[in-house]
Amino acid sequence: MSGAPASATFPKNARAALANPPLLKAIAHIEETLVSGRRRAIDALPEFEALRDAGRDLKAHTLAHLDLYLEAFERKVMDAGGHVHWAADAAEANSIILDICKAAGARTVTKGKSMITEEVGLNAFLEGNGVRPVETDLGEYIIQLRGETPSHIIAPAVHVNKEQVAADFRRAHTDLDPRRNLDEPVSLLAEARGVLRERFLAADVGITGANFLVAETGSTVIVTNEGNGDLSQILPKTHIVLASIEKVVPTLEDVATIMRLLARSATGQEMSVYTTFSTGPRRPGDPDGPEAFHVVLLDNGRSAMLGTEFEDMLRCIRCGACINHCPVYRSIGGHAYGSVYPGPMGSVLTPSLYGLETSAHLANASTLCGRCESVCPMRIPLPKMLRHWREKEFERHLTPRKARLGLAAWRLLANRPRLYGLTTRLAAWGLARLAGKSGALTSLPLAGGWTKWRDLPAPEGGTFRTEWAKRGRH
Ligand code: SF4
């Protein structure tokens, strides 16, 4: 698969991110925007928990019959006059899309926001083959100007502040008045809108992802807040949808169910601003729409996840809630993960897509606090799957040497209960003495990674086993 991640450098990336105050300040906004918004939206919907059950069950059912629903989807797309292409991996998807662009004589393509095109590295591939891709989602447009990748699956430029955006616009939009005022977000938005409007009109092909593929109608569905996806798919003569196979759902009714979970979990909205269904190319009498409609269905490692302990991950609807609530993501941002998909969902998905050898660190980029699972609208057991990856990392001898030595020492003690009891009692006593009256340790050999960033509370009272034994006597 192309586009393999650079997550092998996660520890180094994380250290760099922790020492980047502007980045940390930008990420801090997630609490007051996405996290608070989700809380408010969910508090206002009494049936939210029941909807989560329904969403989980319908996706689990679809995955159990994925082949049937995908074939039904393909038939319906063809009935509507569209074309379906099957891509086993990123290279095949890119090559199919390039062929369609060449057949359409395309020099410029506009793109709606799509993580799947990031996954296959489509932009670099098209550019390398003489086709200019233009991102039209504001966040994606900003990071395209900066030559970066998204740092969040729903807010790709969450790591960038408005001063940086203004500087990027001045650098890129050299035909505009250099004295123009770009101090406010609204002026940045207006400038991007004006520049992109020209691009929409000039594009030969529009490329979007899909939030859903509907088996009963052959429709692809996108949800956006900017309407850019709609212009990308309606204005050019050719519309290409790149979607991964697990996006299929049986019926329109199922889309409605999951939609009620998606926007609330992602941005705290009841609904995203635009929800657009595309079914085939323009028919006679239609006021707009493309003349050609292509859907590229991408596997890229997903079918191999079916029937494994990672199948549940295919229920993901890319809402980003697990990312927004992850204390690790909130401390380092998305680029440190070195993968298209950051945070807990990315740490589970990335090894499945690219192999554990290049991404073994990611399963450890978690405190296993469980917040990700508690907010996931599809009830995906993310911590359980992270533990599965840790087991596989250990089995394949990918765990760092220090961690293996630590585990070996722990096993030595755990197999000898009396020695274990003595050692833990001594450790608790020693740590309490070291901490003194402050009750916290500010530095500690072998735990410098912890005490560098926060104090370690000293043990209070006895060990767990001594306290347990005391209770047993009462
Ligand atoms: S794993 Fe769950 S919370 Fe995370 S992006 Fe996917 S659906 Fe949303």
Side-chain angles (χ1 to χ4, degrees), residues 196-281:
L196 287 172
R197 190 70 35 154
E198 301 296 318
R199 310 275 199 274
F200 282 123
L201 295 170
D204 308 293
V205 169
I207 300 176
T208 66
N211 293 88
F212 307 98
L213 308 169
V214 190
E216 75 168 342
T217 60
S219 309
T220 65
V221 186
I222 57 166
V223 295
T224 72
N225 279 321
E226 298 172 19
N228 61 301
D230 306 74
L231 294 175
S232 296
Q233 64 187 36
I234 285 170
L235 293 177
K237 287 187 176 162
T238 300
H239 176 202
I240 304 172
V241 180
L242 175 63
S244 49
I245 53 175
E246 82 280 13
K247 295 282 176 176
V248 72
V249 293
T251 66
L252 290 170
E253 184 85 28
D254 298 329
V255 174
T257 302
I258 300 180
M259 288 279 289
R260 298 187 71 201
L261 292 163
L262 178 57
R264 287 178 171 89
S265 301
T267 51
Q269 296 162 286
E270 287 184 14
M271 285 278 285
S272 299
V273 178
Y274 300 94
T275 301
T276 308
F277 294 71
S278 298
T279 312

Side-chain angles (χ1 to χ4, degrees), residues 153 313 315-323 345 372 375-380 382:
I153 61 173
M313 193 61 224
R315 296 204 301 267
C316 177
I317 54 173
R318 307 289 191 267
C319 70
C322 59
I323 299 173
M345 56 79 70
C372 50
V375 297
C376 175
M378 306 307 286
R379 297 202 190 281
I380 298 173
L382 292 154

Side-chain angles (χ1 to χ4, degrees), residues 78-89:
M78 286 171 11
D79 289 350
H83 306 271
V84 174
H85 312 260
W86 299 82
D89 56 21

